[in-house]
């Protein structure tokens, strides 16, 4: 699914939606009716904002990444808005990545996986779940915390993105610990990812167990590709965190869909940049331009080798 | 808060609520009106079930642990039910532990923490959040993934329970990796927990940064207590997973509130055990008896040394 969509849209850009109710696009606040509980009003405004951002940038993107934390903050109305944002993204031809970094075992992992991917049958009828095409998963608890997500995703034709080496400074505290016998903790996690994805690599050469690998440290990216030759990489950290698209070539070794570059605030808040503010660029126009700039850069970088 | 509550209720038992819509207490299904969407009906039944379980066992418990995965599976109505279950638990004098094992950084961690603990101010008004007294947190991404939870919890008078050494077999895959220089990954995480909780140990000698430590391996518990002398331990794995209350004494070294023993299915499904089925014990009576049995056992074990 992913490889075809990347080819069709000629994009590896993932629009990160991370809506802060206090920093929505101008006008979004009006969508929240003046009456109603704060959470309902905030959720209406967030939904409006997300739809606008999607409409502005969808052409340059292949997927949206929905930061679940921001929706949970709004409680039940937030979860309803999350479902509507996902539906709207699909309407615009985008895949949906649920960024919840869930990790648990057994029936709890199964419940998370059903909630995010395929839904489940209950005595009360079918619960559809979010229907995400991909979801981020935290591997700390080990293989039995990842496997239920992989199985459920596989059954639904979806994929899993395991946190392997994240882009934050704190990654040094646990992920980078050196393991006796060689390598770092994150490299062991990478080996688990490679093993779990092994059976499922389709014609495209890409498996359905991918990895989150920060774009901030190019050396890690090379090593990650060695360890996970067929994994899709979700690459956060471009822009605000200092990662550069031109350093991401190793991600595309297995093909153009081998790397997904996620950008959130650098797209959504492009209109606040000094050069755009001065030009009076509207939020939508600035976001579209930034997404298109990233798209062109990544697409050129990932051109299949001759 | 926790130490006082433990003393007042003479209990260290945490009721784990993990409601499977397909295995609720007899009669709960009727609470879901015959009309309405499946998720609404399932959420009504789950809410009814959780209230009944709380009413049956509250006297023997000090807290409920709500498995967020099960509520998320029900979408927006599930999140609403979660809030109502938390409110009902409080009404019965129980503390609320949100078991979501969240882990993320920066504004996302902040959003999760606000959603679970203290709420936050927005242009649309105050969002109250779940108001949990404790929440489980996944430390894989490092200190910057834990710190926002700790800060928000501290401001709200709540506490954090960091996954340190879980009770599942997969814990061997990452948590148990030997680190060069000595110790296992989980021991390094334990050191982080001890450090983050250091400043906040109150008169009771307990800090506000606790740890999830599986009850299945007593040797780990001894070592965990060495590394985290003032942390509250949440102890899963008693019952179904093979952990035994009598092995948990090291948890109580800093005081009676040093260990919280969580039991989910062993309490809720006690009525399905052969001896209870044969006796025709109702679900509520069997749950109450099992919770009380655990309470007595733990309370006796944790008696302050002479």
């Amino acid at each position: 699914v992913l490889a075809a969509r990347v080819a069709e849209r000629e994009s590896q850009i993932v629009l990160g939606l991370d809506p802060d109710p206090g920093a929505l696009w101008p006008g979004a606040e009006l969508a929240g009716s003046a009456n109603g509980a704060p959470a309902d009003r905030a959720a209406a405004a967030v939904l409006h904002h997300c739809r606008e951002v999607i409409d502005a940038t969808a052409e340059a993107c292949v997927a949206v990444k929905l930061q679940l934390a921001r929706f949970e903050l709004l409680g039940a109305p937030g979860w309803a808005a999350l479902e509507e944002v996902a539906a709207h993204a699909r309407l615009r031809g985008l895949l949906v990545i649920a960024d919840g970094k869930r990790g648990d075992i057994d029936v709890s992992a199964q419940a998370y996986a059903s909630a995010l991917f395929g839904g489940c049958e209950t005595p009360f009828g079918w619960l559809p779940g979010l229907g995400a095409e991909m979801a981020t998963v935290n591997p700390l608890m080990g293989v039995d915390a990842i496997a239920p997500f992989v199985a459920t995703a596989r059954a639904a034709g979806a994929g899993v993105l395991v946190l392997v080496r994240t882009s934050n400074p704190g990654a040094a505290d646990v992920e980078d610990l050196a393991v006796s016998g060689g390598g770092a903790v994150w490299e062991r996690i990478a080996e688990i990812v490679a093993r779990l994805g092994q059976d499922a690599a389709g014609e495209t050469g890409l498996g359905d167990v991918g990895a989150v690998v920060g774009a901030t440290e190019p050396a890690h990216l090379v090593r990650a590709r060695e360890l996970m030759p067929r994994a899709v990489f979700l690459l956060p950290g471009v822009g605000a965190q200092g990662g550069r698209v031109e350093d991401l070539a190793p991600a595309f070794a297995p093909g153009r869909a081998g790397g997904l570059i996620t950008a959130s605030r650098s797209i959504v808040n492009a209109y606040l940049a000094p050069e755009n503010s001065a030009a009076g660029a509207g939020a939508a126009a600035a976001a579209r331009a930034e997404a298109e700039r990233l798209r062109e850069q990544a697409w050129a970088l990932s051109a299949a080798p001759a």
Side-chain angles (χ1 to χ4, degrees), chain A residues 102-113 137-149:
Chain A
R102 300 300 192 242
D104 212 313
I105 55 161
D106 199 23
V107 291
S108 304
Q110 185 55 57
Y112 279 131
V137 168
N138 185 312
L140 177 71
M141 296 176 80
V143 172
D144 53 10
I146 311 172
F149 285 93

Side-chain angles (χ1 to χ4, degrees), chain A residues 207-229:
Chain A
D208 58 2
V209 184
V212 178
V213 182
T216 45
E217 306 209 27
H220 285 145
L221 197 56
V222 173
R223 177 68 180 139
R225 188 45 90 200
E226 274 174 34
L227 292 168
M228 301 174 284

Side-chain angles (χ1 to χ4, degrees), chain A residues 45-293:
Chain A
V46 160
L47 174 58
H48 184 271
H49 165 89
C50 290
R51 280 188 181 137
E52 299 256 297
V53 178
I54 290 170
D55 289 346
T57 60
E59 248 178 66
C61 299
V62 68
V64 287
K65 179 173 81 68
L66 306 177
Q67 170 51 257
L68 269 47
R70 293 286 204 180
F71 293 90
E72 280 178 39
L73 183 57
L74 310 177
W79 201 268
L82 175 72
E83 290 173 350
E84 293 194 60
V85 171
H88 190 76
R90 258 180 229 116
L91 203 67
R92 291 280 176 272
L94 301 174
L95 301 172
V96 172
I97 303 176
D99 187 11
K101 302 185 175 63
R102 300 300 192 242
D104 212 313
I105 55 161
D106 199 23
V107 291
S108 304
Q110 185 55 57
Y112 279 131
S114 298
L116 296 176
F117 299 121
C120 77
E121 192 55 53
T122 75
F124 307 92
W126 177 255
L127 300 177
L130 192 62
E133 278 82 17
M134 284 171 271
T136 53
V137 168
N138 185 312
L140 177 71
M141 296 176 80
V143 172
D144 53 10
I146 311 172
F149 285 93
V150 172
T152 304
R154 201 163 280 172
V160 162
L161 298 163
V162 178
L163 302 184
V164 171
R165 209 296 179 178
T166 54
S167 57
N168 58 309
D173 301 329
V174 179
E175 298 168 20
D176 286 357
L177 287 175
V179 177
S180 5
V185 167
W186 74 261
E187 293 175 280
R188 300 306 176 94
I189 297 173
E191 289 165 9
I192 293 173
V193 167
R195 211 162 58 233
L196 288 172
Q198 212 159 32
D199 305 330
E203 296 168 23
T204 60
L206 288 168
D208 58 2
V209 184
V212 178
V213 182
T216 45
E217 306 209 27
H220 285 145
L221 197 56
V222 173
R223 177 68 180 139
R225 188 45 90 200
E226 274 174 34
L227 292 168
M228 301 174 284
R230 301 192 293 191
V232 172
F233 286 1
L234 182 72
L235 304 155
V238 166
Q241 288 182 61
R244 303 182 318 162
V245 172
E246 52 268 43
D247 293 330
L248 304 181
F252 300 110
R256 279 186 132 148
L260 297 174
I261 298 171
T262 164
S264 306
R265 277 160 281 172
S266 64
I267 292 176
V268 176
N269 293 337
Y271 72 110
L272 300 173
E275 64 275 21
N276 287 328
S277 298
R288 184 181 300 118
E290 174 61 12
E292 178 57 25
R293 191 186 69 77

